[in-house]
Amino acid sequence: MVRIVSAPVTELERREHLFDWFERERRDVFAEIPIADKFDERLKKIAALLTKNFKLKK
């Protein structure tokens, strides 16, 4: 997920990739966090949280 939010893409693409990852790898998240689609503001908040708290290892 950190790699997804650290990628040099647009904000919308970042949210789309994050949403796709949740759909593919962690569908259970949708039961707790009602994320509608790639336009959901919750994805923006999750991306910001990940960016703030985690960094890619070099």
Side-chain angles (χ1 to χ4, degrees):
M1 290 187 333
V2 175
R3 191 169 287 152
I4 291 170
V5 299
S6 299
V9 295
T10 67
E11 180 65 35
L12 183 57
E13 288 174 317
R14 186 173 291 121
R15 286 192 263 170
E16 180 178 15
H17 294 280
L18 195 54
F19 183 80
D20 291 343
W21 186 89
F22 280 127
E23 253 190 345
R24 189 176 55 251
E25 303 291 337
R26 293 298 309 260
R27 290 194 60 79
D28 60 309
V29 168
F30 297 123
E32 297 296 324
I33 306 170
I35 300 171
D37 55 22
K38 67 181 180 181
F39 301 106
D40 197 309
E41 286 295 313
R42 291 177 189 99
L43 285 172
K44 188 174 183 178
K45 291 177 183 177
I46 292 170
L49 181 72
L50 289 168
T51 302
K52 178 182 176 185
N53 291 301
F54 300 98
K55 302 292 179 209
L56 286 176
K57 291 183 180 180
K58 293 183 179 185

